[in-house]
Amino acid sequence: MQAAVVPEPGADFEVVERDVPEPDAGEVRISVDACGICHSDVYAKEGTNPVVSYPRIPGHEVAGHVDAVGDAVDTWDVGDRVGVGWHGGHCSTCDQCRQGNFLQCENGEITGLSYDGGYAEYMTAPSEALAKIPESLDAAAAAPLLCAGVTTFNALRNSDANVGDLVAVQGVGGLGHLGIQYAHAAGFETAAISRTPEKESLAKELGADHFINAADVDAGQRLQELGGADVVLATAPSSDAISSIVSGIGVDGSVVVVGVPGEPVEVSAQQLVQSRGAVEGWASGHARDSQDTLEFSSLRDIAPEIETYPIEDVNEAYGRMIDNEARFRAVLEL
């Protein structure tokens, strides 16, 4: 098979031939149809996560179909359309797993970091890490939903917002353009916040009821004029932008951070006390969360905007992602 390998931390991708992997007893082998390129792949590319050993095949937005199953697998059959996201498996025995917090498993694995991921024609994964992909979803469109999609969908559905509440999505990019769609489809009054006025028409097409140009107005003040946001989904990884939007939450409102900035986020305790508000974070989700995301996306015709590349162009595709030039998700088709 062909695979895009990071031979050592910081090196360019090398497209090489590898033996097709065999699944262990509790694993399945996936014939990969498409794999999204996510900013979190930088952990494998640059060696900034200690779990990564080299050479490594990255990729945790994997859409494909089951090609073979291990001897102990009875939940999946050859030919099933499946996906694998960031959550690459859990132990089922630690305290967090016993409470159902599989994403916080103390021994959890990460697809494309703990083991080889989807920048390849085939990969293996633990059976509990798989989500079923509806037949209506194209593989290239489904792939980013297994990270960017589940992250935004899951954060919103686990927030305290109710139908009709004001939900603001900060950032109209790889995460934000999906967050706007999910917020609109879920029945929230949806505001899109961006410093790029050219994105207003797109935001409205995706379902935003309001567009706030943060380059010209105080976004927090504008949200207060709209009644105060019940939830701000912070998708753009900018500490300053996140700090500036806290003033826009209403009583009992919250800023939910899903786009992780590299610097600490400064927050006024006075603002939080006055609003009984909160700043919190949300990770992506486990396999069932991913499947829920895919099913909801199919039901409501929600899809990412993508650029597709063959595996031979992996360095170009990764470069466009890392330079924020891709609109909005780069996907390898295999």
Side-chain angles (χ1 to χ4, degrees), residues 27-151:
E27 295 181 335
V28 303
R29 184 169 67 213
I30 301 168
S31 176
V32 179
D33 296 318
C35 184
I37 296 177
C38 177
H39 195 277
S40 296
D41 292 337
V42 73
Y43 294 126
K45 180 71 163 55
E46 303 300 331
T48 52
N49 189 306
V51 307
V52 184
S53 59
Y54 293 87
R56 175 61 74 225
I57 303 171
H60 61 271
E61 296 182 349
V62 186
H65 55 276
V66 176
D67 177 72
V69 299
D71 293 340
V73 175
D74 57 10
T75 51
W76 300 101
D77 296 315
V78 172
D80 287 347
R81 296 191 75 213
V82 295
V84 185
W86 178 263
H87 176 68
H90 52 270
C91 70
S92 299
T93 58
C94 71
D95 285 344
Q96 291 300 324
C97 282
R98 293 179 67 192
Q99 296 177 58
N101 298 323
F102 300 125
L103 196 64
Q104 285 73 39
C105 172
E106 297 166 15
N107 306 298
E109 294 187 291
I110 303 171
T111 312
L113 296 185
S114 306
Y115 55 84
D116 286 337
Y119 288 22
E121 292 179 303
Y122 295 89
M123 64 168 289
T124 59
S127 63
E128 75 272 10
L130 271 60
K132 185 176 181 180
I133 298 179
E135 292 297 329
S136 61
L137 291 181
D138 175 76
L145 300 180
L146 289 151
C147 184
V150 67
T151 296

Side-chain angles (χ1 to χ4, degrees), residues 37 307-314 316-317 320 326 329-334:
I37 296 177
E307 300 177 353
T308 59
Y309 298 84
I311 193 171
E312 293 82 7
D313 294 338
V314 61
E316 177 190 353
R320 283 184 57 79
R329 309 295 296 190
V331 179
L332 297 177
E333 289 189 309
L334 297 110

Side-chain angles (χ1 to χ4, degrees), residues 26-333:
E27 295 181 335
V28 303
R29 184 169 67 213
I30 301 168
S31 176
V32 179
D33 296 318
C35 184
I37 296 177
C38 177
H39 195 277
S40 296
D41 292 337
V42 73
Y43 294 126
K45 180 71 163 55
E46 303 300 331
T48 52
N49 189 306
V51 307
V52 184
S53 59
Y54 293 87
R56 175 61 74 225
I57 303 171
H60 61 271
E61 296 182 349
V62 186
H65 55 276
V66 176
D67 177 72
V69 299
D71 293 340
V73 175
D74 57 10
T75 51
W76 300 101
D77 296 315
V78 172
D80 287 347
R81 296 191 75 213
V82 295
V84 185
W86 178 263
H87 176 68
H90 52 270
C91 70
S92 299
T93 58
C94 71
D95 285 344
Q96 291 300 324
C97 282
R98 293 179 67 192
Q99 296 177 58
N101 298 323
F102 300 125
L103 196 64
Q104 285 73 39
C105 172
E106 297 166 15
N107 306 298
E109 294 187 291
I110 303 171
T111 312
L113 296 185
S114 306
Y115 55 84
D116 286 337
Y119 288 22
E121 292 179 303
Y122 295 89
M123 64 168 289
T124 59
S127 63
E128 75 272 10
L130 271 60
K132 185 176 181 180
I133 298 179
E135 292 297 329
S136 61
L137 291 181
D138 175 76
L145 300 180
L146 289 151
C147 184
V150 67
T151 296
T152 50
F153 173 80
N154 217 19
L156 287 172
R157 73 168 177 171
N158 283 282
S159 73
D160 292 329
N162 295 309
V163 173
D165 284 351
L166 177 61
V167 169
V169 179
Q170 173 255 338
V172 186
L175 288 168
H177 87 290
L178 287 167
I180 293 167
Q181 294 180 73
Y182 289 127
H184 171 72
F188 301 132
E189 181 182 358
T190 305
I193 303 170
S194 174
R195 297 184 62 84
T196 307
E198 292 78 14
K199 290 184 177 180
E200 179 174 2
S201 60
L202 172 64
K204 294 290 184 65
E205 290 174 10
L206 295 174
D209 301 294
H210 314 280
F211 181 83
I212 300 173
N213 179 3
D216 286 346
V217 302
D218 183 319
Q221 180 178 332
R222 178 68 182 121
L223 286 176
Q224 289 297 341
E225 292 170 357
L226 292 171
D230 295 278
V231 170
V232 177
L233 186 68
T235 71
S238 165
S239 299
D240 291 341
I242 296 171
S243 296
S244 70
I245 207 66
V246 177
S247 61
I249 60 176
V251 175
D252 294 326
S254 61
V255 175
V256 182
V257 179
V258 294
V260 183
E263 302 295 327
V265 175
E266 293 187 2
V267 179
S268 166
Q270 184 68 24
Q271 288 178 338
L272 297 183
V273 169
Q274 289 178 335
S275 64
R276 294 195 310 232
V279 177
E280 55 193 88
W282 190 267
S284 55
H286 51 66
R288 182 65 240 191
D289 296 323
S290 291
Q291 187 163 321
D292 290 346
T293 302
L294 294 164
E295 291 172 351
F296 186 79
S297 300
S298 174
L299 181 69
R300 292 290 179 255
D301 294 324
I302 293 172
E305 294 204 4
I306 61 173
E307 300 177 353
T308 59
Y309 298 84
I311 193 171
E312 293 82 7
D313 294 338
V314 61
N315 282 295
E316 177 190 353
Y318 180 87
R320 283 184 57 79
M321 179 279 298
I322 209 70
D323 292 335
N324 293 318
E325 295 177 351
R327 182 169 175 144
F328 285 104
R329 309 295 296 190
V331 179
L332 297 177
E333 289 189 309

